[in-house]
Amino acid sequence: MNWKKQNAKIIVGTLIALSATQSFAAGFEKTVMWSGRWAGVAGAAAGAVEGADSLFYNPAGLVQGGEREVSLNYSPLFTQTSGAQTTNNEKLDSKHLTKHVFGATSKININKDIAVGAGLYVSGGSGSEFDYVDFSGINANYRDLKPAVKSDVKILEVGLGGAYRLTQNLSAGVTWRTSIAQADFSSADVSLTSSGNALINTVFKEMKGENYEGFRLGLQYANNEKTWGLGASYRSSIDLSLDGSASGEAEFAANGANLKMTGGNNVTLSTAFPQQLNFGGFYKYNEHGTFFAEYSWTDYSENKEIKISGDALNLATTNVLAGKSIVLKWHDAHALKVGNEYYFGNWALRTGYALTSRVTDKSNVSITFTAPSLGHSFTLGTGTSFMNKTLFLDISGEFSTAKGDGARSNGISGEYTSQALGLHTSIKYLF
């Protein structure tokens, strides 16, 4: 076989396989993030959050709450996705994965009008993993290469913030964000060439990057009696350049021959963590109960592609990455969150629901990310305080689901699902 001719003709097929990664195509942040308290009301925190966790939700709330606080949050998430990968209407189930989401924040009031805070927390992440995907049903010669189809994205932030009480009712705040991103991706697809089909597996591994230029701004207003209030926060967009390595392998249907790609020692993937706006409020309808609501917009249509640069990744003498990028078809994310909190003595009962618009394009679906449909999140939680209201314990459960029909970039179509179970826990101490 003329390998140079063969490899040149499957470059297009390789790029299709790269596109199948869709590493950020469904967005890479949950609608309901960490916090046992605020997860209980579906994350509708912008208008009411106070204290240390305001670093993440709305920095204007830093000046509220206790004079000195430490808040520790841990949210294990159990996720699974499914969909069609090798043939139409296939239902391939991913591994059950556990994601570890956390937030550790603190704050101190300098005086009654000024507060500062610091924290380390998860601000984004997504992914799924399908091990040993079997393509032999398409062709028996795909017998050796059983590739993983995987995406794993984590975004951590170090936040340093401050807030100022402008008036008795109005406060403003800012958080400076240092973002640290880590990712691993593996894609696999069959592509037709002039010499027949080839199964192509492309892997980006140990991708890492930082950005020190992000910020979050916030405003909060509450009436004198604090029976109602409003809040808004803005998160700036940041560029993310992830550096790591790339590798790949091809298996040919004609005879089952394998060819490994060479090079790819230093590769960069470039995209953005987009800007976001949140508007929310609360209304205390009696001495025991409070209603929360929030609308969130995230500019995911900013992410039109993932640019690829760096060392050549070669099939024989051909660099399959030269001048190429991964085209995305994202849509902006719109989320509506509502929640209720009712106190029975010293115990709170919290319920919440969040509706998220479809972000993934129906013609550009990936089995490792959110399904191309509306997302629904249901939450239920409780909490109480001890030691004369200096120690607070909160816990909330979450169920999130999305299900919809769509097609991958290579035309394979089917029903895609995403599900997650979360347990959000928090402990806060006021010094």
Side-chain angles (χ1 to χ4, degrees):
M1 179 181 291
N2 185 335
W3 288 109
K4 291 184 179 181
K5 180 179 179 181
Q6 174 75 18
N7 293 326
K9 290 181 178 179
I10 63 174
I11 293 174
V12 173
T14 303
L15 293 172
I16 291 175
L18 289 174
S19 298
T21 302
Q22 294 304 314
S23 56
F24 303 97
F28 46 104
E29 57 190 307
K30 292 176 71 273
T31 301
V32 179
M33 292 294 289
W34 49 266
S35 174
R37 165 75 193 281
W38 294 108
V41 292
V49 65
E50 296 182 345
D53 291 343
S54 301
L55 272 172
F56 175 74
Y57 286 100
N58 184 343
L62 280 170
V63 76
Q64 310 293 339
E67 291 188 1
R68 294 181 296 275
E69 292 183 11
V70 172
S71 175
L72 302 176
N73 305 267
Y74 175 57
S75 300
L77 299 172
F78 311 95
T79 66
Q80 187 178 39
T81 61
S82 67
Q85 174 71 15
T86 64
T87 59
N88 287 332
N89 301 315
E90 175 187 34
K91 188 178 186 298
L92 189 64
D93 293 325
S94 74
K95 294 172 59 178
H96 291 274
L97 296 182
T98 301
K99 305 290 186 179
H100 301 282
V101 181
F102 67 89
T105 59
S106 63
K107 63 148 288 191
I108 184 171
N109 278 56
I110 305 302
N111 56 44
K112 68 180 183 65
D113 294 325
I114 300 174
V116 294
L120 172 67
Y121 43 82
V122 173
S123 61
S126 59
S128 186
E129 183 174 349
F130 298 77
D131 281 344
Y132 307 108
V133 179
D134 188 356
F135 287 79
S136 62
I138 299 175
N139 188 294
N141 280 332
Y142 299 142
R143 55 184 178 270
D144 296 323
L145 183 57
K146 307 294 183 188
V149 177
K150 172 184 178 181
S151 59
D152 185 14
V153 181
K154 306 181 186 72
I155 303 176
L156 304 179
E157 282 188 3
V158 177
L160 299 175
Y164 180 68
R165 195 189 310 271
L166 300 169
T167 71
Q168 178 182 347
N169 307 102
L170 182 65
S171 61
V174 60
T175 299
W176 171 55
R177 302 156 44 216
T178 294
S179 301
I180 305 161
Q182 301 177 353
D184 291 279
F185 312 121
S186 177
S187 66
D189 249 319
V190 173
S191 300
L192 180 63
T193 73
S194 60
S195 300
N197 286 333
L199 172 58
I200 301 168
N201 178 214
T202 309
V203 178
F204 294 93
K205 55 187 176 182
E206 297 181 356
M207 311 298 296
K208 299 177 182 179
E210 302 85 30
N211 186 291
Y212 304 94
E213 301 177 353
F215 62 88
R216 190 184 304 269
L217 303 175
L219 286 171
Q220 279 186 343
Y221 176 89
N223 69 340
N224 291 336
E225 296 77 19
K226 291 192 174 182
T227 56
W228 66 272
L230 299 171
S233 67
Y234 170 75
R235 182 187 74 194
S236 67
S237 174
I238 60 171
D239 293 327
L240 288 176
S241 293
L242 307 182
D243 299 321
S245 62
S247 61
E249 185 175 359
E251 186 170 48
F252 297 96
N255 56 8
N258 288 67
L259 182 67
K260 292 185 180 296
M261 300 178 193
T262 60
N265 295 322
N266 296 286
V267 174
T268 299
L269 299 180
S270 302
T271 186
F273 192 15
Q275 63 181 334
Q276 183 181 81
L277 282 169
N278 298 281
F279 301 94
F282 72 92
Y283 174 68
K284 191 174 178 65
Y285 53 86
N286 64 34
E287 62 178 327
H288 301 292
T290 307
F291 176 76
F292 303 87
E294 182 174 320
Y295 165 75
S296 175
W297 167 77
T298 309
D299 187 19
Y300 274 115
S301 60
E302 173 187 359
N303 305 75
K304 300 186 184 306
E305 63 179 359
I306 299 176
K307 296 180 180 179
I308 305 172
S309 59
D311 292 349
L313 180 62
N314 296 311
L315 275 171
T317 58
T318 303
N319 176 16
V320 300
L321 301 182
K324 305 300 180 180
S325 65
I326 302 173
V327 177
L328 303 175
K329 295 182 179 180
W330 296 358
H331 302 274
D332 288 351
H334 303 271
L336 179 62
K337 312 171 188 178
V338 293
N340 187 74
E341 179 181 72
Y342 198 91
Y343 272 89
F344 299 88
N346 198 40
W347 286 87
L349 174 65
R350 303 184 181 106
T351 56
Y353 170 72
L355 176 66
T356 308
S357 66
R358 176 173 57 84
V359 177
T360 303
D361 192 274
K362 284 183 174 292
S363 65
N364 208 32
V365 182
S366 169
I367 58 173
T368 59
F369 284 87
T370 306
S373 71
L374 295 174
H376 306 273
S377 297
F378 305 88
T379 64
L380 178 66
T382 188
T384 191
S385 61
F386 303 92
M387 300 167 56
N388 197 28
K389 294 189 176 182
T390 59
L391 180 66
F392 294 81
L393 299 177
D394 296 285
I395 185 169
S396 298
E398 173 198 350
F399 172 67
S400 295
T401 184
K403 179 186 294 186
D405 294 331
R408 301 178 58 236
S409 57
N410 62 3
I412 292 175
S413 62
E415 182 180 70
Y416 295 81
T417 66
S418 307
Q419 290 189 343
L421 289 172
L423 182 65
H424 304 274
T425 61
S426 299
I427 180 169
K428 181 173 70 174
Y429 182 67
L430 279 59
F431 293 90

